[in-house]
Every structure is written in structure tokens, then in C-alpha cells.
Amino acid sequence: MSLVIENLTFCYRRKNIPAVEYFSYTFQPGKFYGIFGTNGSGKSTLLKIAIGDLSADKAVLLENKPLREFSSKELAKLMAYAPQEEELLLPFTVKKCIALGRYAWNDNNSALIDRLLKDWNAEHLADKLFAELSGGERQKIKLLRILAQDTRYILLDEPASSLDLPKQIELYRKLQKVAHEENKCIIMVCHDLYIAPGFIDEMLLLKNGNLIYSGQTETQEAAQAIRDAFEYDFTISRKNNNIEISW
């Protein structure tokens, strides 16, 4: 079981420079991946190709089958995707919004939804209207909707963007736990080089659409790749579960 992207090159129309170029990688369940890079490095494009929002011919294999051969419902049972910018201001309660994640399964699975609300300390929000929540609360509930989809592969684009520091730490810790304990493959695009690397299993660094590093976060090779990707000098050290990066 794996998500394989092989020799992927993708260009948007009217642009001669590839957004992603010669990218190859195999993502496995049971791991939490972080994809990093500057704006325009190809991170979000890569996720959109992996989920099938952008076509890339035969470059993506999901569990040994080309992505394009899945029906939308089949794909929704295997893979969930949370884009960076998504407006979900429906006139529903939080619990009903989370239940939208069950559309491919044709059930509400109340037991799963109740467990998610409890595990993510959101039981007190269950009967509130989604539109009345704060930005950080909305971010959490959108994530719970993705988790309620109960897929083996979860792709997240900047899931911590609306969260304060303690909530970011909580998010990364819980995503790590989901990946390891529930054997799910979680792939997260992220700008946070200070906290997130302490929780992920493998870091991928993109520069101008090219994968310039993949592997553990605390190696000298990772430090050099970060310098190359961001064109700044960094010092990396690990303390407890966190990676500290000094400019």
C-alpha cells in the first residue's frame, strides 16, 4: 500500500516554467510527512496533482492503480484533501458539518464523529453553528470533517495557518498520533520550520519545483537543503519533540 508519484513534471497553461519537475517519491501509511519550500516552489501544486484535482497522466499511482482509473467515490474512500483556502460557511451545526465527511460511505457514523470530537477536545462545539466559530475553531472542525472521511491517505495544505502557537503544537502532535496509531499516511504542506519538523517523520524540501531533499529533519543534509531552499543560513537543533531553527 502506497501513494507513488513517479517522474512527475507539470506545467500550468501559458507558463513555460514547470511548477513541478521530475518529482518522484513514495509515501507510505503509518508516516507523517511534511513538505516545505518557499512560495511558488510547487508544494500546493503537488498536493493537487496527488489528489487528482490537476491531471498528470500516469504519474500518480494509488495502491498500484493509476489515479485516473478511480471513480470519484472510490477515491474519496481512500484519500482526503483539505485545501489551504476553503470557505465552508454552511448553516449547519458543527456535528453536521463533520458528518459531511461521510458522504462517500453513505452513513453518518455517529460513533466515529463523537470519538473525533472527544479526541480533539471539541465536544463543547458539537451543537454550535459552524458560522459562529472563531477562525481557529473552524480550522479544527474542517480538519475533523477530513478525518471523519476515514481514508488511508490524508493531504493537508497549511492546516495550522489559523492557529496560535499552543494549538499548532496540539495539531502536529495529534496528526503524528493519527499517522502512527491508525496507520494513515498524512502529507502536510507547511511553512512552519520551527515546530512542525519536530513531529514529522520525513521532510521533503522543494525548490523551483524540484525535490532537493527528503529524509529526517535533524541531519546536516537537511540543514544544508534548508539553506539552499530558503537562501538563508540556518542552525538546526532538536530539543524534546521540537526542531529549533535559528536564522
Side-chain angles (χ1 to χ4, degrees):
M1 296 185 295
S2 60
L3 171 64
V4 179
I5 302 177
E6 187 172 342
N7 198 28
L8 167 66
T9 295
F10 180 86
C11 254
Y12 287 100
R13 291 182 180 180
R14 301 179 182 176
K15 290 187 177 181
N16 296 322
I17 301 174
V20 180
E21 189 171 20
Y22 304 123
F23 180 94
S24 295
Y25 206 77
T26 298
F27 299 94
Q28 303 280 0
K31 288 189 175 183
F32 183 19
Y33 298 89
I35 302 177
F36 301 85
T38 59
N39 290 338
S41 61
K43 305 184 301 299
S44 296
T45 297
L46 184 63
L47 285 196
K48 291 176 182 178
I49 291 169
I51 197 65
D53 277 1
L54 295 174
S55 177
D57 297 326
K58 299 179 180 179
V60 183
L61 293 175
L62 180 60
E63 304 198 340
N64 298 316
K65 182 177 176 180
L67 199 66
R68 63 182 181 177
E69 294 183 10
F70 288 91
S71 69
S72 58
K73 194 168 186 178
E74 288 173 335
L75 190 59
K77 289 182 177 181
L78 281 172
M79 187 182 291
Y81 168 57
Q84 182 177 358
E85 296 179 1
E86 179 187 32
E87 287 299 326
L88 185 69
L89 296 178
L90 300 175
F92 297 151
T93 64
V94 161
K95 195 166 186 178
K96 287 184 178 179
C97 284
I98 297 173
L100 294 175
R102 299 297 303 169
Y103 71 95
W105 303 94
N106 296 321
D107 67 50
N108 287 330
N109 200 335
S110 294
L112 172 60
I113 294 171
D114 288 342
R115 178 177 65 80
L116 288 170
L117 286 166
K118 181 178 180 180
D119 289 349
W120 288 75
N121 303 316
E123 290 176 292
H124 63 291
L125 301 175
D127 296 321
K128 289 189 175 182
L129 289 176
F130 181 84
E132 296 175 352
L133 302 182
S134 68
E137 289 171 337
R138 289 179 188 174
Q139 192 86 342
K140 176 182 285 191
I141 299 310
K142 286 189 285 186
L143 177 60
L144 294 190
R145 175 170 55 89
I146 293 297
L147 295 178
Q149 201 170 325
D150 196 20
T151 59
R152 189 172 293 130
Y153 303 88
I154 301 170
L155 282 64
L156 307 171
D157 197 346
E158 295 288 350
S161 60
S162 297
L163 304 180
D164 59 25
L165 184 59
K167 294 295 191 299
Q168 289 179 37
I169 295 172
E170 178 190 21
L171 171 70
Y172 301 142
R173 183 177 289 118
K174 288 182 180 296
L175 288 175
Q176 181 191 57
K177 182 178 180 181
V178 169
H180 294 173
E181 296 185 3
E182 300 181 28
N183 195 37
K184 296 184 183 293
C185 173
I186 299 180
I187 306 169
M188 174 181 69
V189 161
C190 187
H191 279 102
D192 171 24
L193 279 168
Y194 295 92
I195 302 169
F199 294 91
I200 61 176
D201 297 302
E202 293 188 28
M203 166 188 280
L204 285 76
L205 278 166
L206 296 181
K207 182 177 182 179
N208 298 327
N210 292 279
L211 178 63
I212 64 170
Y213 176 80
S214 62
Q216 295 182 339
T217 55
E218 65 269 26
T219 66
Q220 289 301 315
E221 292 82 359
Q224 183 58 54
I226 291 172
R227 293 187 190 102
D228 292 343
F230 292 90
E231 298 180 356
Y232 276 95
D233 287 330
F234 291 89
T235 300
I236 300 181
S237 63
R238 178 182 285 275
K239 291 185 178 180
N240 298 322
N241 281 335
N242 297 332
I243 299 293
E244 291 191 354
I245 300 181
S246 302
W247 298 54

